[in-house]
Amino acid sequence: MDVIRTQFAFDRAHAHIPPMRSALLAILAPVLALTVTACSQTGVDPACFNRTSEKIGGPFSLTSHTGARMTEDNFKGRKTMVFFGFTHCPDVCPNTLYAVGTAMTMLPKNVKKPMVAFISVDPARDTPEELSRYIASNGFPSDITGLTGTLEELQQVSDGFGAPFSRVEDEDSASGYLMDHMAIVYLMDENWKLATYFPLGEKPEQMAQCIAALDLERGALQERDAADDDPER
């Protein structure tokens, strides 16, 4: 199992996320070449379709950057990109959120942009007020919600995502400690089920292509199901 670890974050390949369905690349590739015009890549990474699992997600109850309590139900009905991090993270977190924000601008107009949930793993420092300031950074996604909670609440949601985190004491840092955390971006579907995930370093155009491909695949499957249910066919 490959581990990409920095002083601030680590990204692990999940052995418990097996491929759950076959990619429809033969059908999607020609359409994507015409649709995802903002992307510089011409093909969709096949892994985009093989990163789903029923084991990822689950219920949670956290406090948003506005001070309101939120659960997974607040995100159902629309795709959501979920990322764990903290506001004092100097590189991995801002770079990743900037990449997500850039990917949103690359999506075709017919693809609805996912919401973004930024879950802090640093409850001692990341108050709702601090999160509110942080997520307003230039280049970050516009439709982003910051979430925090007690240590127990954050442990629950991190367990649901297979995203462990820990505090690392560091006398040399200005704050006295750092946080180790997962650097994966999870894409949850409209039912709060894992649609795919993006590993550390995934380029914005790759994210945009994958999101558009999954949207197109979902539409194709819905059309097929509707045709199968049509008694006149």
Side-chain angles (χ1 to χ4, degrees), residues 115-141:
M115 296 181 289
V116 178
F118 174 65
I119 302 177
S120 169
V121 296
D122 187 6
R125 292 181 295 197
D126 289 347
T127 62
E129 295 77 15
E130 183 66 23
L131 281 172
S132 184
R133 287 190 292 268
Y134 184 73
I135 63 175
S137 301
N138 288 336
F140 283 11

PDB file of all heavy atoms in Angstrom, residues 115-141:
ATOM      1  N   MET A 115     -21.246  20.595  -4.441  1.00  0.00           N
ATOM      2  CA  MET A 115     -20.934  21.373  -3.249  1.00  0.00           C
ATOM      3  C   MET A 115     -19.589  20.879  -2.712  1.00  0.00           C
ATOM      4  O   MET A 115     -19.097  19.821  -3.113  1.00  0.00           O
ATOM      5  CB  MET A 115     -22.020  21.180  -2.188  1.00  0.00           C
ATOM      6  CG  MET A 115     -23.385  21.685  -2.605  1.00  0.00           C
ATOM      7  SD  MET A 115     -24.638  21.469  -1.286  1.00  0.00           S
ATOM      8  CE  MET A 115     -24.842  19.682  -1.316  1.00  0.00           C
ATOM      9  N   VAL A 116     -19.008  21.640  -1.802  1.00  0.00           N
ATOM     10  CA  VAL A 116     -17.747  21.245  -1.176  1.00  0.00           C
ATOM     11  C   VAL A 116     -17.903  21.339   0.334  1.00  0.00           C
ATOM     12  O   VAL A 116     -18.411  22.342   0.863  1.00  0.00           O
ATOM     13  CB  VAL A 116     -16.576  22.138  -1.639  1.00  0.00           C
ATOM     14  CG1 VAL A 116     -15.285  21.737  -0.925  1.00  0.00           C
ATOM     15  CG2 VAL A 116     -16.396  22.043  -3.151  1.00  0.00           C
ATOM     16  N   ALA A 117     -17.473  20.294   1.031  1.00  0.00           N
ATOM     17  CA  ALA A 117     -17.469  20.280   2.491  1.00  0.00           C
ATOM     18  C   ALA A 117     -16.029  20.156   2.966  1.00  0.00           C
ATOM     19  O   ALA A 117     -15.359  19.165   2.678  1.00  0.00           O
ATOM     20  CB  ALA A 117     -18.311  19.122   3.028  1.00  0.00           C
ATOM     21  N   PHE A 118     -15.560  21.182   3.663  1.00  0.00           N
ATOM     22  CA  PHE A 118     -14.216  21.181   4.234  1.00  0.00           C
ATOM     23  C   PHE A 118     -14.342  20.871   5.723  1.00  0.00           C
ATOM     24  O   PHE A 118     -14.865  21.673   6.490  1.00  0.00           O
ATOM     25  CB  PHE A 118     -13.542  22.534   4.022  1.00  0.00           C
ATOM     26  CG  PHE A 118     -12.199  22.668   4.699  1.00  0.00           C
ATOM     27  CD1 PHE A 118     -11.126  21.876   4.310  1.00  0.00           C
ATOM     28  CD2 PHE A 118     -12.015  23.590   5.717  1.00  0.00           C
ATOM     29  CE1 PHE A 118      -9.889  21.999   4.934  1.00  0.00           C
ATOM     30  CE2 PHE A 118     -10.781  23.722   6.345  1.00  0.00           C
ATOM     31  CZ  PHE A 118      -9.717  22.920   5.949  1.00  0.00           C
ATOM     32  N   ILE A 119     -13.902  19.683   6.117  1.00  0.00           N
ATOM     33  CA  ILE A 119     -14.048  19.231   7.501  1.00  0.00           C
ATOM     34  C   ILE A 119     -12.730  19.428   8.233  1.00  0.00           C
ATOM     35  O   ILE A 119     -11.715  18.808   7.895  1.00  0.00           O
ATOM     36  CB  ILE A 119     -14.480  17.755   7.557  1.00  0.00           C
ATOM     37  CG1 ILE A 119     -15.802  17.561   6.802  1.00  0.00           C
ATOM     38  CG2 ILE A 119     -14.618  17.302   9.011  1.00  0.00           C
ATOM     39  CD1 ILE A 119     -16.267  16.119   6.742  1.00  0.00           C
ATOM     40  N   SER A 120     -12.739  20.294   9.230  1.00  0.00           N
ATOM     41  CA  SER A 120     -11.520  20.557   9.993  1.00  0.00           C
ATOM     42  C   SER A 120     -11.219  19.404  10.943  1.00  0.00           C
ATOM     43  O   SER A 120     -12.127  18.850  11.579  1.00  0.00           O
ATOM     44  CB  SER A 120     -11.662  21.849  10.804  1.00  0.00           C
ATOM     45  OG  SER A 120     -10.581  21.967  11.723  1.00  0.00           O
ATOM     46  N   VAL A 121      -9.937  19.077  11.049  1.00  0.00           N
ATOM     47  CA  VAL A 121      -9.505  18.054  12.004  1.00  0.00           C
ATOM     48  C   VAL A 121      -8.754  18.701  13.167  1.00  0.00           C
ATOM     49  O   VAL A 121      -8.037  18.038  13.909  1.00  0.00           O
ATOM     50  CB  VAL A 121      -8.607  16.996  11.313  1.00  0.00           C
ATOM     51  CG1 VAL A 121      -9.401  16.245  10.264  1.00  0.00           C
ATOM     52  CG2 VAL A 121      -7.371  17.647  10.680  1.00  0.00           C
ATOM     53  N   ASP A 122      -8.945  20.026  13.308  1.00  0.00           N
ATOM     54  CA  ASP A 122      -8.251  20.793  14.345  1.00  0.00           C
ATOM     55  C   ASP A 122      -9.274  21.591  15.155  1.00  0.00           C
ATOM     56  O   ASP A 122      -9.353  22.823  15.060  1.00  0.00           O
ATOM     57  CB  ASP A 122      -7.240  21.736  13.687  1.00  0.00           C
ATOM     58  CG  ASP A 122      -6.344  22.444  14.696  1.00  0.00           C
ATOM     59  OD1 ASP A 122      -6.421  22.124  15.902  1.00  0.00           O
ATOM     60  OD2 ASP A 122      -5.579  23.333  14.263  1.00  0.00           O
ATOM     61  N   PRO A 123     -10.084  20.902  15.956  1.00  0.00           N
ATOM     62  CA  PRO A 123     -11.176  21.592  16.662  1.00  0.00           C
ATOM     63  C   PRO A 123     -10.698  22.629  17.669  1.00  0.00           C
ATOM     64  O   PRO A 123     -11.439  23.557  17.989  1.00  0.00           O
ATOM     65  CB  PRO A 123     -11.920  20.446  17.356  1.00  0.00           C
ATOM     66  CG  PRO A 123     -10.896  19.362  17.514  1.00  0.00           C
ATOM     67  CD  PRO A 123     -10.030  19.465  16.291  1.00  0.00           C
ATOM     68  N   ALA A 124      -9.470  22.506  18.143  1.00  0.00           N
ATOM     69  CA  ALA A 124      -8.966  23.450  19.140  1.00  0.00           C
ATOM     70  C   ALA A 124      -8.799  24.847  18.558  1.00  0.00           C
ATOM     71  O   ALA A 124      -9.005  25.845  19.241  1.00  0.00           O
ATOM     72  CB  ALA A 124      -7.643  22.953  19.711  1.00  0.00           C
ATOM     73  N   ARG A 125      -8.425  24.932  17.284  1.00  0.00           N
ATOM     74  CA  ARG A 125      -8.170  26.238  16.672  1.00  0.00           C
ATOM     75  C   ARG A 125      -9.238  26.639  15.656  1.00  0.00           C
ATOM     76  O   ARG A 125      -9.510  27.832  15.465  1.00  0.00           O
ATOM     77  CB  ARG A 125      -6.798  26.235  15.981  1.00  0.00           C
ATOM     78  CG  ARG A 125      -5.636  26.144  16.942  1.00  0.00           C
ATOM     79  CD  ARG A 125      -4.301  26.161  16.219  1.00  0.00           C
ATOM     80  NE  ARG A 125      -4.097  24.990  15.375  1.00  0.00           N
ATOM     81  CZ  ARG A 125      -2.903  24.613  14.901  1.00  0.00           C
ATOM     82  NH1 ARG A 125      -1.833  25.340  15.179  1.00  0.00           N
ATOM     83  NH2 ARG A 125      -2.787  23.538  14.151  1.00  0.00           N
ATOM     84  N   ASP A 126      -9.830  25.661  14.981  1.00  0.00           N
ATOM     85  CA  ASP A 126     -10.739  25.977  13.877  1.00  0.00           C
ATOM     86  C   ASP A 126     -12.173  26.155  14.371  1.00  0.00           C
ATOM     87  O   ASP A 126     -13.021  25.264  14.264  1.00  0.00           O
ATOM     88  CB  ASP A 126     -10.654  24.893  12.804  1.00  0.00           C
ATOM     89  CG  ASP A 126      -9.344  24.963  12.057  1.00  0.00           C
ATOM     90  OD1 ASP A 126      -8.621  25.977  12.193  1.00  0.00           O
ATOM     91  OD2 ASP A 126      -9.014  23.999  11.333  1.00  0.00           O
ATOM     92  N   THR A 127     -12.425  27.328  14.899  1.00  0.00           N
ATOM     93  CA  THR A 127     -13.773  27.705  15.314  1.00  0.00           C
ATOM     94  C   THR A 127     -14.597  28.018  14.066  1.00  0.00           C
ATOM     95  O   THR A 127     -14.042  28.191  12.975  1.00  0.00           O
ATOM     96  CB  THR A 127     -13.725  28.949  16.203  1.00  0.00           C
ATOM     97  OG1 THR A 127     -13.165  30.033  15.431  1.00  0.00           O
ATOM     98  CG2 THR A 127     -12.865  28.709  17.428  1.00  0.00           C
ATOM     99  N   PRO A 128     -15.910  28.108  14.182  1.00  0.00           N
ATOM    100  CA  PRO A 128     -16.714  28.518  13.024  1.00  0.00           C
ATOM    101  C   PRO A 128     -16.243  29.843  12.427  1.00  0.00           C
ATOM    102  O   PRO A 128     -16.223  30.011  11.205  1.00  0.00           O
ATOM    103  CB  PRO A 128     -18.129  28.618  13.610  1.00  0.00           C
ATOM    104  CG  PRO A 128     -18.131  27.609  14.711  1.00  0.00           C
ATOM    105  CD  PRO A 128     -16.760  27.690  15.313  1.00  0.00           C
ATOM    106  N   GLU A 129     -15.860  30.783  13.277  1.00  0.00           N
ATOM    107  CA  GLU A 129     -15.384  32.084  12.786  1.00  0.00           C
ATOM    108  C   GLU A 129     -14.097  31.935  11.988  1.00  0.00           C
ATOM    109  O   GLU A 129     -13.930  32.564  10.930  1.00  0.00           O
ATOM    110  CB  GLU A 129     -15.164  33.039  13.960  1.00  0.00           C
ATOM    111  CG  GLU A 129     -16.416  33.426  14.716  1.00  0.00           C
ATOM    112  CD  GLU A 129     -16.906  32.340  15.667  1.00  0.00           C
ATOM    113  OE1 GLU A 129     -16.120  31.394  15.962  1.00  0.00           O
ATOM    114  OE2 GLU A 129     -18.081  32.415  16.092  1.00  0.00           O
ATOM    115  N   GLU A 130     -13.178  31.112  12.472  1.00  0.00           N
ATOM    116  CA  GLU A 130     -11.918  30.891  11.764  1.00  0.00           C
ATOM    117  C   GLU A 130     -12.165  30.184  10.440  1.00  0.00           C
ATOM    118  O   GLU A 130     -11.557  30.526   9.413  1.00  0.00           O
ATOM    119  CB  GLU A 130     -10.968  30.059  12.636  1.00  0.00           C
ATOM    120  CG  GLU A 130      -9.594  29.820  12.031  1.00  0.00           C
ATOM    121  CD  GLU A 130      -8.773  31.095  11.892  1.00  0.00           C
ATOM    122  OE1 GLU A 130      -9.055  32.065  12.619  1.00  0.00           O
ATOM    123  OE2 GLU A 130      -7.854  31.104  11.051  1.00  0.00           O
ATOM    124  N   LEU A 131     -13.053  29.211  10.438  1.00  0.00           N
ATOM    125  CA  LEU A 131     -13.394  28.510   9.202  1.00  0.00           C
ATOM    126  C   LEU A 131     -14.029  29.460   8.195  1.00  0.00           C
ATOM    127  O   LEU A 131     -13.747  29.392   6.992  1.00  0.00           O
ATOM    128  CB  LEU A 131     -14.342  27.353   9.492  1.00  0.00           C
ATOM    129  CG  LEU A 131     -13.727  26.080  10.058  1.00  0.00           C
ATOM    130  CD1 LEU A 131     -14.822  25.100  10.465  1.00  0.00           C
ATOM    131  CD2 LEU A 131     -12.788  25.422   9.055  1.00  0.00           C
ATOM    132  N   SER A 132     -14.886  30.348   8.675  1.00  0.00           N
ATOM    133  CA  SER A 132     -15.565  31.290   7.797  1.00  0.00           C
ATOM    134  C   SER A 132     -14.560  32.176   7.074  1.00  0.00           C
ATOM    135  O   SER A 132     -14.690  32.446   5.873  1.00  0.00           O
ATOM    136  CB  SER A 132     -16.539  32.143   8.602  1.00  0.00           C
ATOM    137  OG  SER A 132     -17.267  33.000   7.755  1.00  0.00           O
ATOM    138  N   ARG A 133     -13.541  32.635   7.789  1.00  0.00           N
ATOM    139  CA  ARG A 133     -12.499  33.450   7.154  1.00  0.00           C
ATOM    140  C   ARG A 133     -11.688  32.633   6.162  1.00  0.00           C
ATOM    141  O   ARG A 133     -11.364  33.100   5.069  1.00  0.00           O
ATOM    142  CB  ARG A 133     -11.577  34.038   8.232  1.00  0.00           C
ATOM    143  CG  ARG A 133     -12.196  35.158   9.037  1.00  0.00           C
ATOM    144  CD  ARG A 133     -11.144  35.853   9.899  1.00  0.00           C
ATOM    145  NE  ARG A 133     -10.664  34.951  10.955  1.00  0.00           N
ATOM    146  CZ  ARG A 133     -11.193  34.904  12.173  1.00  0.00           C
ATOM    147  NH1 ARG A 133     -12.230  35.673  12.486  1.00  0.00           N
ATOM    148  NH2 ARG A 133     -10.705  34.083  13.080  1.00  0.00           N
ATOM    149  N   TYR A 134     -11.372  31.404   6.537  1.00  0.00           N
ATOM    150  CA  TYR A 134     -10.490  30.571   5.715  1.00  0.00           C
ATOM    151  C   TYR A 134     -11.128  30.193   4.383  1.00  0.00           C
ATOM    152  O   TYR A 134     -10.487  30.295   3.331  1.00  0.00           O
ATOM    153  CB  TYR A 134     -10.120  29.315   6.495  1.00  0.00           C
ATOM    154  CG  TYR A 134      -9.141  28.412   5.786  1.00  0.00           C
ATOM    155  CD1 TYR A 134      -7.805  28.758   5.672  1.00  0.00           C
ATOM    156  CD2 TYR A 134      -9.562  27.198   5.230  1.00  0.00           C
ATOM    157  CE1 TYR A 134      -6.898  27.930   5.033  1.00  0.00           C
ATOM    158  CE2 TYR A 134      -8.663  26.367   4.589  1.00  0.00           C
ATOM    159  CZ  TYR A 134      -7.330  26.737   4.490  1.00  0.00           C
ATOM    160  OH  TYR A 134      -6.435  25.913   3.843  1.00  0.00           O
ATOM    161  N   ILE A 135     -12.364  29.749   4.401  1.00  0.00           N
ATOM    162  CA  ILE A 135     -12.985  29.259   3.171  1.00  0.00           C
ATOM    163  C   ILE A 135     -13.316  30.383   2.192  1.00  0.00           C
ATOM    164  O   ILE A 135     -13.657  30.122   1.034  1.00  0.00           O
ATOM    165  CB  ILE A 135     -14.257  28.436   3.467  1.00  0.00           C
ATOM    166  CG1 ILE A 135     -15.323  29.310   4.134  1.00  0.00           C
ATOM    167  CG2 ILE A 135     -13.920  27.217   4.311  1.00  0.00           C
ATOM    168  CD1 ILE A 135     -16.644  28.587   4.333  1.00  0.00           C
ATOM    169  N   ALA A 136     -13.176  31.635   2.646  1.00  0.00           N
ATOM    170  CA  ALA A 136     -13.408  32.773   1.760  1.00  0.00           C
ATOM    171  C   ALA A 136     -12.165  33.117   0.935  1.00  0.00           C
ATOM    172  O   ALA A 136     -12.175  34.102   0.194  1.00  0.00           O
ATOM    173  CB  ALA A 136     -13.845  33.990   2.571  1.00  0.00           C
ATOM    174  N   SER A 137     -11.110  32.318   1.058  1.00  0.00           N
ATOM    175  CA  SER A 137      -9.861  32.585   0.344  1.00  0.00           C
ATOM    176  C   SER A 137     -10.080  32.582  -1.158  1.00  0.00           C
ATOM    177  O   SER A 137     -10.882  31.805  -1.687  1.00  0.00           O
ATOM    178  CB  SER A 137      -8.811  31.531   0.705  1.00  0.00           C
ATOM    179  OG  SER A 137      -8.548  31.522   2.093  1.00  0.00           O
ATOM    180  N   ASN A 138      -9.365  33.457  -1.846  1.00  0.00           N
ATOM    181  CA  ASN A 138      -9.458  33.537  -3.304  1.00  0.00           C
ATOM    182  C   ASN A 138      -9.060  32.221  -3.952  1.00  0.00           C
ATOM    183  O   ASN A 138      -8.045  31.618  -3.591  1.00  0.00           O
ATOM    184  CB  ASN A 138      -8.543  34.646  -3.831  1.00  0.00           C
ATOM    185  CG  ASN A 138      -9.066  36.023  -3.505  1.00  0.00           C
ATOM    186  OD1 ASN A 138     -10.260  36.204  -3.298  1.00  0.00           O
ATOM    187  ND2 ASN A 138      -8.182  37.006  -3.467  1.00  0.00           N
ATOM    188  N   GLY A 139      -9.859  31.790  -4.908  1.00  0.00           N
ATOM    189  CA  GLY A 139      -9.562  30.564  -5.638  1.00  0.00           C
ATOM    190  C   GLY A 139     -10.198  29.325  -5.062  1.00  0.00           C
ATOM    191  O   GLY A 139     -10.260  28.292  -5.727  1.00  0.00           O
ATOM    192  N   PHE A 140     -10.672  29.408  -3.822  1.00  0.00           N
ATOM    193  CA  PHE A 140     -11.362  28.269  -3.232  1.00  0.00           C
ATOM    194  C   PHE A 140     -12.751  28.149  -3.873  1.00  0.00           C
ATOM    195  O   PHE A 140     -13.269  29.118  -4.425  1.00  0.00           O
ATOM    196  CB  PHE A 140     -11.509  28.443  -1.722  1.00  0.00           C
ATOM    197  CG  PHE A 140     -10.249  28.170  -0.932  1.00  0.00           C
ATOM    198  CD1 PHE A 140      -9.022  28.017  -1.571  1.00  0.00           C
ATOM    199  CD2 PHE A 140     -10.274  28.081   0.444  1.00  0.00           C
ATOM    200  CE1 PHE A 140      -7.853  27.764  -0.849  1.00  0.00           C
ATOM    201  CE2 PHE A 140      -9.125  27.834   1.178  1.00  0.00           C
ATOM    202  CZ  PHE A 140      -7.905  27.674   0.534  1.00  0.00           C
ATOM    203  N   PRO A 141     -13.370  26.977  -3.807  1.00  0.00           N
ATOM    204  CA  PRO A 141     -14.720  26.831  -4.373  1.00  0.00           C
ATOM    205  C   PRO A 141     -15.688  27.841  -3.768  1.00  0.00           C
ATOM    206  O   PRO A 141     -15.602  28.155  -2.576  1.00  0.00           O
ATOM    207  CB  PRO A 141     -15.101  25.394  -4.005  1.00  0.00           C
ATOM    208  CG  PRO A 141     -13.801  24.702  -3.779  1.00  0.00           C
ATOM    209  CD  PRO A 141     -12.877  25.725  -3.213  1.00  0.00           C
TER     210      PRO A 141
END
